[in-house]
């Protein structure tokens, strides 16, 4: 449905930020057949067939379709050889381009600005205690110190740099891991993302709550991150609120 210039950094089918990915699917009407990419860096994309598309996630100063500025979070029509151009990332880190078969009824549908549709991210990324939380020598230090997102991060995990957080030991019997788990290695914490491995042998000290993992996915490399410990009941409530916000967005779009 589209292709990118060779100097682009894009990943087929990726959705580290689940909220943006689901927003794309809602805007396009939950299509059965679609193409989606996670964009880290791109200058230009060319459509290869008639379709509808939307762009959700990181905010660019200008995105143009055949030279005309378009809005993010809105559904547009594209034809074969139409050209998208991206200019100057201003906010966030990951942008999602999703396209599906042409559907006249979806054209123009608009999610609105992220801050109008969803609760804004906390100043701190919220976590729950992990299975090996008790391996930490001084757990409170994890919340008192800032961390920086390392340039060595990749699709499988975000590596955090900062003052050393000490554990009683840095290995466990290889165990199941999940999205958002924070493993503690002797070289520092790693936040596991959605392209992670299925098991791991490092202590699972914390787990980022599902809603905040999407916010963290939009932190650029080099960003400073602070964490906050919450209880499971609060995490469940925040997830229920997110699900309701998505349902409300579907209702608003379908009523237009």
């Amino acid at each position: 449905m589209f292709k990118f210039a060779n100097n682009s950094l894009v990943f087929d089918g990726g959705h580290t930020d689940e909220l943006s990915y689901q927003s794309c699917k809602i805007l396009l009407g939950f299509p059965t057949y679609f193409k989606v990419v996670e964009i880290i860096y791109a200058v230009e994309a060319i459509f290869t067939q008639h379709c509808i598309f939307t762009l959700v996630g990181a905010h660019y100063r200008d995105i143009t379709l055949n030279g005309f500025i378009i809005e993010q979070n809105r559904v547009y029509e594209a034809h074969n050889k139409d050209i998208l151009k991206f200019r100057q990332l201003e906010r966030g880190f990951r942008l999602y381009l999703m396209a599906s078969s042409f559907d006249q009824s979806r054209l123009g549908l608009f999610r609105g600005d992220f801050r109008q549709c969803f609760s804004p991210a906390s100043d701190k990324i919220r976590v729950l205690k992990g299975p090996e939380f008790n391996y930490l020598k001084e757990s409170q230090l994890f919340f008192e110190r800032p961390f920086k997102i390392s340039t060595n991060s990749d699709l499988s995990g975000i590596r955090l740099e900062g003052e050393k957080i000490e554990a009683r030991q840095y290995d466990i019997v290889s165990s199941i891991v999940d999205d958002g788990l924070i493993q503690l290695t002797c070289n520092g914490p790693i936040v596991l993302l959605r392209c992670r491995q299925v098991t791991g042998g490092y202590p699972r000290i914390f787990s980022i709550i599902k809603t905040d993992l999407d916010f963290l996915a939009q932190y650029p490399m080099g960003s400073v991150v602070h964490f906050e410990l919450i209880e499971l009941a609060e995490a469940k409530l925040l997830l229920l609120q997110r699900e309701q916000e998505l349902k409300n967005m579907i209702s608003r779009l379908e009523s237009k």
Side-chain angles (χ1 to χ4, degrees), residues 119-204:
S119 301
S122 167
D123 289 337
K124 297 181 179 180
I125 297 297
R126 293 162 289 196
V127 301
L128 301 169
K129 291 181 181 178
E132 285 77 47
F133 167 78
N134 290 330
Y135 279 42
L136 290 170
K137 288 186 177 180
E138 297 180 272
S139 60
Q140 77 278 4
L141 294 180
F142 188 84
F143 304 104
E144 294 173 357
R145 297 173 177 174
F147 294 92
K148 186 172 73 171
I149 296 178
S150 170
T151 54
N152 290 326
S153 302
D154 55 30
L155 287 178
S156 64
I158 293 174
R159 295 182 178 272
L160 300 175
E161 300 174 343
E163 292 186 49
K164 186 176 179 63
I165 301 296
E166 294 189 0
R168 294 180 176 84
Q169 65 183 75
Y170 293 94
D171 61 325
I172 60 173
V173 175
S174 190
S175 301
I176 293 174
V177 294
D178 195 7
D179 303 336
L181 270 171
I182 301 178
Q183 293 182 306
L184 184 61
T185 75
C186 57
N187 294 318
I190 301 174
V191 180
L192 299 184
L193 300 177
R194 294 185 169 98
C195 291
R196 58 175 168 74
Q197 70 274 18
V198 296
T199 61
Y202 296 113
R204 301 161 296 177

Side-chain angles (χ1 to χ4, degrees), residues 19-64:
L19 174 58
S20 292
Y21 173 79
Q22 290 298 332
S23 295
C24 286
K25 292 187 74 175
I26 290 169
L27 282 164
L28 297 186
F30 296 100
T32 301
Y33 174 66
F34 62 91
K35 180 176 181 179
V36 61
V37 294
E38 182 176 279
I39 302 169
I40 303 299
Y41 172 79
V43 174
E44 181 178 292
I46 301 174
F47 287 95
T48 57
Q49 68 181 78
H50 188 204
C51 62
I52 56 173
F53 73 93
T54 191
L55 291 147
V56 179
H59 181 76
Y60 283 70
R61 187 174 75 183
D62 290 327
I63 299 179
T64 61

